[in-house]
Structures are given as C-alpha cells and as structure tokens.
C-alpha cells in the first residue's frame, strides 16, 4: 500500500487533519475529499519547505538582542578587556619606542619588573589608562551598535551569513576608528613617557596629564596629529575585526549545534571568544608588523639629537619662535627640535606587539602594500610574523574577555526588569 493510500485511509471518517492549515482550508477532512486535500497539503509543505527549513534564520532572529543591550554589553565588555591588557600594551609600547643602545627593555618579564620597580603601577605600567578608557568605552559602544545594525540588515537582504559577519565587523571598526584613534595617540604617548619628568626613560614626551597632552599636541602639532598613523591603523584593525567576528559567529553556531542549546556554557564561551581573536590576530600579524615599523621610525631631527640633548629637551618648555643662534647658524632651535621629536610615529593602536629587530631595514614608505613587499624581500616570511606569539596571546585574552562578558551581560539584561522587553517596548 502506498503512502498516499495509507494517508487517505486515516481520513475516511470525520476527524481533524494534522496537516490542516489556518489559511482558509477546512479543518475537517471527509471521505472523497481527503485525497485531494492531503495532496494539496503535502504539495504546500513541499513548496514552503525552503522557507520553513530556515532554522538558522529563525535562530538568528531569536538571538537578536535590542540594540541598546548590545551597545551597553559591548561597551562594558570591550573596555574591561582593554583595561585588563593595558599593562602588557604599555610594556610593548616601551619596547617599540626604546631608542637606547643597548635597549632598556628586552624580554617581557624583565620589562614588567623594571617598569614596576622604577615607576610603579599607576604611573608606570598603567600610564595612559585615562585616555584608554575614554576612547575604549565609546569606541566599543559604537562598534557593537554598528555591527549589529549592519549584520542584521545584510542578512535580511539576502547576504550570506558568513559574508554578513565579515562585512559587519569591517564596517563597525571603521565607524569606531574616528573615536579610538585619537584616544590611542594620547594613550600611547603617555605610555611611552611614563611618569612626569621620568628620570628612567627618555621618550621625548613630558606631559603633566591627559588634558595637558591633548592641549600640547594640538597647539604644537595641530589637530591632525591626533590621527597620526590612521591609515596604517585601519589597514590592520579593519581586517582584524572582520575576521574576529566572522570566526566568532561561526564558532558560536557550531557550539550551539553541538550542545543543542543557545546556552553553550562558560567553557565554550571562553573557547570561541579566545580562538576567534587569536586566529584573527595571527592572520593579520603581517599588517601589524608593517604598521608598527612605519609608525615607530624616528624623525631624522630626533635621531640626530644626542642622548644628553634629548634629556634636556624634556625639561624645557617650547618657545614659539626660533632663537637668534639658530637663525644665525641655520640649525634647528630647541623648540623646533622638540616638536620634531614629538612627531615621532609611535604605534597608535592596541594591540601592537611587533618588536623591531635590531638593525632591521627602515620602511621608507607610508604604503602598507609597499611595506609588505619590502619586508618580505629583506626578512622573508619570518619578518612578516615577527612578534606573532605575543600578538596571539594579547588578542586571545582581550577577545575572550570582551566576548564572554558581552554574552553574560546580554543574558542578564534579558531578564533584568530594568532592561526587560515589556509589551515589545524595547529598542530593537
């Protein structure tokens, strides 16, 4: 007996059809009409199947938190991750900007110990934490809001999920870059400087505070100085964010399928967040190396200064006009030399974990592509992946912290009465 015949026999008496729909078909199937209705119902199911099989789309809609929730959770999670890793970022910045021969800072552990012993925790390892916080929180708020908006609209318009995640991360980081790059310039200079009138390290910077740093930079170098290294920074950070969230969303999907629940547990939350950031960090390591090398090349005038002269420059205020001696001799004045030294391009974005190899070639270019080619010709593949270990650690820990907190806060806000969605009034 065929399947159709068996189905017909089930409805030879008056009973409710399990295939009956609510769109106008009768709910009761009687006698001779059973075969036609069953056939139509099966055809309807087959016709609707491509849409009904969109389990991924339904889960995607269910997992869409309100934009406000995403922005708050992302801001707190991202800022916590950045502040947790700030001391590591300070040590790497010192290593990148160390022009002393022999270097003052060598290995990670000894550099940590040296900075902590000489300058302390707040003014040493956590110097520059104020601009880091002021840039990180609004930057990550903008990032997660833009990411969720871009991702949802791309998916709703038929873009493949993986491509939507990739494009969403790319767009979101670009939107946030206008906030975090200026704050990173301030943060990095204060990290390199350390304490005010620092007797242990000559950086060329000597700001009293974050406000003083901002005022001095704008007055002496112009507003554009707050965007030093912007092009090289987005060349690295945009691909990193795109890959990070593409990996994370895919790993989350796999983890939910494996567990069979939306709640995958703390262990898998940490694993998916950390591996997503670590893999993205390793893949974009060549861009990080080039960015760092371009930004940490010293200004020629600054290089020409002797160590004693550079030390004196830190403790003298800038004069708005050249001295008479400099006019007569044609040499730069102390003020102009100081400004020139302050224009030194230090890495302006975390995480920059590539330490320049002593004696390595200068990348006399502002082009990232040209820098990659020159680096490959002179140092090979090893040059592209210099510092890949610390970068993988930095990005894994930062990404894991940010994304675990992000998911935890979303779950808390979903049930908290302050953020609860009452009668559909939440912001979506």
């Amino acid at each position: 007996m065929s399947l159709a015949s068996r189905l017909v026999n089930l409805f030879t008496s008056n009973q409710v059809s399990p295939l009956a729909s609510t769109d106008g078909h009768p709910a009761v199937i009687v006698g001779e009409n059973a075969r036609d209705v069953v056939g139509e119902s099966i055809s309807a199911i087959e016709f609707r199947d491509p849409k009904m099989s969109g389990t991924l789309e339904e889960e995607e809609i269910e997992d869409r938190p309100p934009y406000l929730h995403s922005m708050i959770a992302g801001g707190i999670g991202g800022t916590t991750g950045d502040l947790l890793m700030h001391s590591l970022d300070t040590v790497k910045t010192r290593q990148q900007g160390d022009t002393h021969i022999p270097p003052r800072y060598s290995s990670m552990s000894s550099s940590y110990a040296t900075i902590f012993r000489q300058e302390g925790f707040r003014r040493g390892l956590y110097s520059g934490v104020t601009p880091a916080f002021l840039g990180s929180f609004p930057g990550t708020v903008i990032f997660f809001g833009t990411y969720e908006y871009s991702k949802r609209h791309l998916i709703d318009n038929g873009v493949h999920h993986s491509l939507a995640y990739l494009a969403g991360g790319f767009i979101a980081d670009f939107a946030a870059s206008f906030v975090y790059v200026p704050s990173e310039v301030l943060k990095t200079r204060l990290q390199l400087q350390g304490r005010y009138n620092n007797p242990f390290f000559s950086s060329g910077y000597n700001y009293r505070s974050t406000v003083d740093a901002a005022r001095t930079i704008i007055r002496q170098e112009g507003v554009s100085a707050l965007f030093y290294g912007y092009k090289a920074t987005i060349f690295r950070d945009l691909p990193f964010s795109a890959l990070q969230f593409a990996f994370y969303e895919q790993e989350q999907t796999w983890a939910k399928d494996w567990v069979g629940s939306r709640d995958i547990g703390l262990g898998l939350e940490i694993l998916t967040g950390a591996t997503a950031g670590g893999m993205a960090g390793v893949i974009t390591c060549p861009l990080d190396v080039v960015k760092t090398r371009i930004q940490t090349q010293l200004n020629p005038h600054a290089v020409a200064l002797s160590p004693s002269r550079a030390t004196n420059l830190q403790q003298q205020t800038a004069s708005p006009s050249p001295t008479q001696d400099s006019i007569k001799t044609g040499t730069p004045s102390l003020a102009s030399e100081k400004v020139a030294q302050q224009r030194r391009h230090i890495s302006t974005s975390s995480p920059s974990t590539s330490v320049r190899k002593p004696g390595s070639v200068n990348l006399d270019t502002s082009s990232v592509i040209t820098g990659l080619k020159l680096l490959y010709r002179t140092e090979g593949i090893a040059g592209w992946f210099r510092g890949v270990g610390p970068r993988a650690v930095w990005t894994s820990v930062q990404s894991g912290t940010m994304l675990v907190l992000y998911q935890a806060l979303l779950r808390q806000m979903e049930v908290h009465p302050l953020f609860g969605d009452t009668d559909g009034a939440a912001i979506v």
Side-chain angles (χ1 to χ4, degrees), residues 27-50:
V28 178
I29 304 175
V30 183
E32 296 296 327
N33 294 327
R35 183 187 300 271
D36 295 336
V37 174
V38 170
E40 292 175 2
S41 300
I42 293 174
S43 299
I45 291 175
E46 291 176 351
F47 176 78
R48 291 195 304 266
D49 186 63

Side-chain angles (χ1 to χ4, degrees), residues 86 90 93-94 105 115 118-129 186-210 213 314 344:
H86 186 84
T90 298
T93 300
R94 289 289 183 93
Y105 306 108
I115 296 174
Q118 294 179 343
E119 304 173 49
F121 186 79
R122 171 66 180 85
R123 298 294 181 183
L125 291 173
Y126 267 76
S127 57
V129 70
L186 294 172
K187 182 209 71 172
T188 306
R189 291 194 179 192
L190 290 170
Q191 284 178 312
L192 195 66
Q193 169 191 308
R195 54 186 287 189
Y196 180 65
N197 285 333
N198 191 349
F200 304 104
F201 184 74
S202 176
S203 64
Y205 309 123
N206 199 31
Y207 307 116
R208 295 178 182 273
S209 64
T210 301
Q314 291 186 65
R344 173 175 54 181

Side-chain angles (χ1 to χ4, degrees), residues 96 293 296-297 354-358 360-363 386:
Q96 291 169 358
R293 294 277 283 272
T296 56
Q297 294 179 98
S354 170
V355 179
R356 183 172 176 175
K357 181 181 179 180
S360 57
V361 65
N362 282 336
L363 300 183
R386 190 172 304 283

Side-chain angles (χ1 to χ4, degrees), residues 99-133:
T99 59
H100 296 87
I101 299 177
R104 296 278 181 89
Y105 306 108
S106 52
S107 68
M108 180 66 67
S109 58
S110 65
S111 299
Y112 258 102
T114 299
I115 296 174
F116 179 74
R117 183 179 66 255
Q118 294 179 343
E119 304 173 49
F121 186 79
R122 171 66 180 85
R123 298 294 181 183
L125 291 173
Y126 267 76
S127 57
V129 70
T130 300
F133 172 79

Side-chain angles (χ1 to χ4, degrees), residues 43-78:
S43 299
I45 291 175
E46 291 176 351
F47 176 78
R48 291 195 304 266
D49 186 63
K51 294 182 180 179
M52 295 178 64
S53 64
T55 307
L56 184 60
E57 285 80 358
E58 294 174 0
E59 290 180 354
E60 174 68 31
I61 294 174
E62 290 179 0
D63 288 342
R64 290 182 177 183
Y67 287 124
L68 181 61
H69 292 192
S70 295
M71 295 168 73
I72 294 175
I76 295 175

Side-chain angles (χ1 to χ4, degrees), residues 147-426:
Y147 174 73
E148 287 294 331
Y149 180 87
S150 304
K151 177 186 74 173
R152 296 176 191 183
H153 279 70
L154 288 170
I155 291 175
D156 291 345
N157 283 278
V159 178
H160 191 275
H161 283 68
S162 297
L163 185 57
Y165 302 147
L166 197 70
F170 196 92
I171 296 169
D173 198 275
F174 179 74
S177 66
F178 296 99
V179 174
Y180 73 72
V181 170
S183 70
E184 291 287 348
V185 172
L186 294 172
K187 182 209 71 172
T188 306
R189 291 194 179 192
L190 290 170
Q191 284 178 312
L192 195 66
Q193 169 191 308
R195 54 186 287 189
Y196 180 65
N197 285 333
N198 191 349
F200 304 104
F201 184 74
S202 176
S203 64
Y205 309 123
N206 199 31
Y207 307 116
R208 295 178 182 273
S209 64
T210 301
V211 174
D212 179 58
R215 288 175 176 173
T216 303
I217 292 171
I218 293 173
R219 183 178 66 251
Q220 294 184 350
E221 306 173 52
V223 177
S224 62
L226 294 176
F227 288 88
Y228 278 162
Y230 178 79
K231 181 180 177 181
T233 298
I234 63 173
F235 258 92
R236 183 204 63 181
D237 286 357
L238 266 62
F240 171 80
S241 295
L243 290 171
Q244 177 188 24
F245 277 83
F247 289 148
Y248 177 69
E249 295 277 12
Q250 185 60 61
E251 290 181 37
Q252 282 276 306
T253 300
W254 289 340
K256 290 173 183 177
D257 290 343
W258 186 62
V259 174
S261 170
R262 290 176 58 188
D263 186 6
I264 62 175
L266 180 60
L268 285 177
E269 290 284 5
I270 296 174
L271 181 64
T272 54
T275 54
M279 288 190 297
V282 170
I283 293 173
T284 57
C285 187
L287 298 173
D288 178 57
V289 174
V290 172
K291 185 193 82 72
T292 301
R293 294 277 283 272
I294 290 174
Q295 292 181 315
T296 56
Q297 294 179 98
L298 295 178
N299 184 285
H301 291 297
V303 175
L305 294 175
S306 65
S308 61
R309 189 168 179 79
T311 303
N312 292 335
L313 289 178
Q314 291 186 65
Q315 303 173 358
Q316 298 186 26
T317 57
S319 173
S321 59
T323 63
Q324 292 295 323
D325 291 338
S326 66
I327 295 176
K328 292 178 182 179
T329 60
T331 59
S333 65
L334 292 179
S336 63
E337 286 178 335
K338 183 180 180 182
V339 173
Q341 191 174 5
Q342 287 184 333
R343 289 178 184 271
R344 173 175 54 181
H345 294 295
I346 302 298
S347 172
T348 59
S349 176
S350 308
S352 293
T353 52
S354 170
V355 179
R356 183 172 176 175
K357 181 181 179 180
S360 57
V361 65
N362 282 336
L363 300 183
D364 189 18
T365 179
S366 60
S367 169
V368 175
I369 302 300
T370 304
L372 284 171
K373 293 178 180 178
L374 182 59
L375 193 62
Y376 179 76
R377 286 201 303 266
T378 56
E379 301 180 37
I381 294 294
W384 277 2
F385 287 92
R386 190 172 304 283
V388 67
R391 177 166 173 79
V393 172
W394 201 105
T395 53
S396 296
V397 176
Q398 195 275 344
S399 177
T401 302
M402 175 182 70
L403 295 172
V404 168
L405 281 176
Y406 174 70
Q407 294 292 348
L409 289 170
L410 284 180
R411 287 192 292 270
Q412 290 297 318
M413 285 189 286
E414 186 177 0
V415 299
H416 197 282
L418 181 62
F419 297 97
D421 183 4
T422 57
D423 299 328

